[in-house]
């Protein structure tokens, strides 16, 4: 596969393999408090770099995240972080899974993905609407230019957030399937029963699959950028 080189702005220290502005905002908020000296502006996205998106033909979240991080690290020469995340619904055998972002048949249409999923689950009773968000986060450190035979260093972390799906969307925050996902922390007696779209960014990041994965990745990143 041929990798297109991109121009990296001065001061950038970390490349984030996403074209999703919501994910960029979320990951900047998670990582910058955990990595000393790292500012939001030093985390540059693949979209800002106009880096092409590789074909996500992996068969797992981790495989897709790694191929995205490898491609961006090669294109930029910077350490690159990628995640592949999705919703795994028990009654659907773990689907949409790695196809979450294109469940409706094309990539990135959150509204259409959500509408199709709710239609598929329309006859499923509440006790059987269990699901989880899963995130595989990958950090790829490119090999030094003077050691071309050295393989890039790869760190992989995978975490999940358990919950249940509503029959109709609630909340204006988040993105993707957030408006119908009630995490287990909110689905207990006495809890508010909020979806992740009804939470503040800080509340969601504290419990989310992505927040867990990137908090586990942060110490490795901190050592790398020290």
């Amino acid at each position: 596969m041929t990798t297109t080189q991109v121009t990296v702005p001065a001061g950038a220290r970390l490349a984030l393999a996403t074209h999703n502005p919501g994910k960029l905002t979320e990951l900047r908020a998670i990582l910058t408090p955990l990595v000393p000296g790292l500012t939001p502006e030093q985390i540059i996205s693949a979209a800002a770099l106009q880096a092409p998106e590789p074909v996500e033909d992996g068969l797992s979240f981790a495989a897709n995240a790694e191929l995205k991080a490898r491609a961006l690290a090669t294109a930029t020469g910077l350490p690159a972080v990628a995640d592949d995340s999705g919703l795994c619904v028990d009654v659907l055998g773990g689907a949409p899974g790695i196809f979450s972002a294109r469940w409706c048949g094309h990539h990135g249409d959150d509204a259409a993905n959500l509408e199709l999923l709710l239609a598929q689950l329309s006859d499923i009773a509440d006790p059987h609407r269990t699901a989880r968000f899963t995130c595989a986060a990958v950090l790829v450190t490119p090999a030094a230019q003077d050691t071309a035979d050295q393989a890039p260093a790869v760190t992989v972390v995978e975490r999940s957030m358990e919950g249940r799906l509503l029959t109709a969307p609630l909340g204006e925050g988040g993105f993707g399937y957030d408006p119908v996902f009630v995490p287990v922390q909110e689905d207990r007696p006495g809890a508010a029963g909020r979806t992740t779209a009804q939470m503040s960014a800080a509340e969601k990041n504290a419990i989310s699959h992505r927040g867990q994965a990137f908090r586990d990745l942060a110490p490795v990143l901190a050592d790398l950028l020290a």
Side-chain angles (χ1 to χ4, degrees), residues 199-214:
M199 296 178 174
S200 69
E203 289 174 316
K204 176 186 171 184
N205 291 343
I207 63 172
S208 76
H209 53 307
R210 194 171 290 112
Q212 294 177 58
F214 277 89

Side-chain angles (χ1 to χ4, degrees), residues 85-89 91-121 165 176-177:
S85 306
L87 180 68
C88 303
V89 181
V91 75
L92 296 180
I98 60 172
F99 304 108
S100 293
R102 52 189 184 276
W103 191 234
C104 66
H106 50 274
H107 192 277
D109 190 336
D110 286 356
N113 288 333
L114 185 54
E115 183 179 1
L116 176 58
L117 181 69
L118 289 178
Q120 291 169 325
L121 298 177
L165 301 175
Y177 300 96

Side-chain angles (χ1 to χ4, degrees), residues 182-196:
V182 179
V184 291
Q185 293 88 341
E186 290 285 315
D187 201 26
R188 296 167 177 164
R194 297 175 299 171
T195 68
T196 44

Side-chain angles (χ1 to χ4, degrees), residues 32-166:
T32 50
L34 299 174
V35 180
L38 184 66
T39 67
E41 295 75 22
Q42 292 172 329
I43 303 174
I44 190 77
S45 72
L49 294 167
Q50 298 184 320
E53 295 185 83
V55 176
E56 295 182 34
D57 55 3
L59 301 181
S60 66
F61 292 118
N64 280 330
E66 183 173 337
L67 70 86
K68 289 187 288 186
R70 280 183 180 273
L72 193 58
T74 300
T76 62
L78 292 173
V81 171
D83 83 288
D84 197 48
S85 306
L87 180 68
C88 303
V89 181
D90 290 325
V91 75
L92 296 180
I98 60 172
F99 304 108
S100 293
R102 52 189 184 276
W103 191 234
C104 66
H106 50 274
H107 192 277
D109 190 336
D110 286 356
N113 288 333
L114 185 54
E115 183 179 1
L116 176 58
L117 181 69
L118 289 178
Q120 291 169 325
L121 298 177
S122 60
D123 295 328
I124 304 300
D126 281 350
H128 305 295
R129 298 175 72 92
T130 52
R132 69 203 47 80
F133 276 121
T134 296
C135 171
V138 175
L139 168 65
V140 172
T141 306
Q145 292 182 354
D146 58 352
T147 55
D149 59 338
Q150 179 184 341
V154 179
T155 304
V156 181
V157 176
E158 189 163 326
R159 297 291 181 265
S160 296
M161 173 174 58
E162 301 287 335
R164 179 177 59 85
L165 301 175
L166 300 182

